[in-house]
Amino acid sequence: GKMAQRTAIQEQLFALQDLKYRDFHSKLLPGIDRETIIGIRTPMLRKFTKEFAETLEAELFLKDLPHRYYEENNMHMMIISWIKDYEVCLKEVKKLLPYVNNWATCDLPAPKCFAKHKEELLPEIRNWISSGETYTIRYGTGMLMNFYLDEDFRPEYLKLAADMRYYLEDAFQMEYPEKVAQIRSEEYYVNMMIAWYLATALAKQWESTIPYIEERRLPEWVHRKTIQKAVESYRITPEQKAYLKSFR
């Protein structure tokens, strides 16, 4: 059938469309229907969203889920990340997460207010990580990486990240034993995030993290990807890099 009428916001977004950028960007989002990507460069979308966030329509927009376009999801994530009230912000994040269907929306900057509520946020992160939903797990891991690798670090968070693959496999096996191929692709975006988290942990918490590599406690793919990312990092010393390479 004919596409539904575009909303006023969608009309404004299409006015910012850059088709060359859409073609390039859609290649980075496999599995996302290209028709749902308008193609707007991030700085432009951020500027538009900043202005839109100040309007009354913004409140209605946050209630209007699911959105039709990828950029609308990104706008939504940006708007809620600027909410200053922790309780309100968290509620909105939880409402949006089930609709997040790609790594780029998932990896947008974390809400600033989360930084002041690390104690309360931890149980939420544990729930996200054990949700069995690819991008909810990835979001939780991102929060663990953003907020808990410095003075709030505890070694058991590494275990949380390293054991994460079990959550995903269990969730899939319970629901769809036949979709093994889907596990592989879905797991990629989780495993990639675990490797990113662990490589950052090696840079910030070497002593606690290196045993995971030395004792090969990770799945082979995650192990290799963590080493690769760490070796590419400018925050890891040449001596550390040489040592990591010996575990390839």
Side-chain angles (χ1 to χ4, degrees), residues 21-225:
Y21 180 72
R22 183 184 84 160
D23 294 343
F24 157 75
H25 198 62
S26 63
K27 290 191 183 77
L28 304 178
L29 298 167
I32 297 292
D33 175 4
R34 223 177 79 154
E35 291 307 307
T36 65
I37 300 171
I38 298 171
I40 302 172
R41 292 170 185 277
T42 307
M44 206 174 244
L45 185 67
R46 191 176 292 117
K47 184 178 179 301
F48 174 82
T49 307
K50 265 262 188 273
E51 288 161 18
F52 177 72
E54 303 299 317
T55 68
L56 292 170
E57 289 155 278
E59 222 156 295
L60 295 171
F61 177 76
L62 294 185
K63 293 191 173 82
D64 188 23
L65 283 164
H67 298 297
R68 193 195 312 172
Y69 294 103
Y70 160 73
E71 281 83 359
E72 291 180 289
N73 281 332
N74 285 354
M75 280 178 69
H76 195 132
M77 189 64 103
M78 286 177 195
I79 293 169
I80 60 185
S81 77
W82 299 328
I83 295 173
K84 293 187 173 68
D85 179 310
Y86 171 74
E87 296 296 333
V88 177
C89 180
L90 180 66
K91 195 175 106 236
E92 290 296 336
V93 167
K94 285 163 128 171
K95 219 166 70 187
L96 179 63
L97 281 178
Y99 299 99
V100 173
N101 61 358
N102 68 88
W103 61 267
T105 305
C106 189
D107 296 354
L108 284 167
K112 284 208 170 54
C113 68
F114 282 6
K116 298 188 191 74
H117 294 269
K118 290 182 194 164
E119 273 310 300
E120 305 97 301
L121 189 62
L122 258 181
E124 305 295 341
I125 288 176
R126 287 180 196 274
N127 288 339
W128 290 331
I129 285 176
S130 55
S131 68
E133 295 295 323
T134 300
Y135 294 104
T136 301
I137 297 175
R138 186 176 168 110
Y139 187 82
T141 314
M143 296 304 116
L144 208 53
M145 181 173 79
N146 279 311
F147 296 119
Y148 303 87
L149 277 177
D150 298 298
E151 64 281 0
D152 296 279
F153 174 74
R154 294 216 282 275
E156 66 256 31
Y157 302 156
L158 291 167
K159 194 167 164 9
L160 198 62
D163 290 345
M164 205 172 315
R165 65 186 192 279
Y166 300 124
Y167 298 132
L168 197 65
E169 285 166 8
D170 289 350
F172 272 111
Q173 277 155 6
M174 282 180 329
E175 289 175 48
Y176 342 86
E178 75 286 358
K179 289 199 180 173
V180 178
Q182 191 181 353
I183 297 187
R184 300 260 53 96
S185 68
E186 297 283 302
E187 264 189 351
Y188 172 82
Y189 290 101
V190 169
N191 284 340
M192 201 65 196
M193 189 76 217
I194 298 171
W196 184 12
Y197 169 80
L198 291 166
T200 309
L202 283 167
K204 293 185 166 197
Q205 301 289 345
W206 175 269
E207 293 301 322
S208 299
T209 314
I210 193 64
Y212 282 82
I213 301 296
E214 292 168 334
E215 294 161 26
R216 297 191 178 267
R217 294 188 209 165
L218 305 163
E220 184 58 24
W221 192 91
V222 175
H223 175 87
R224 293 158 74 96
K225 197 49 94 171

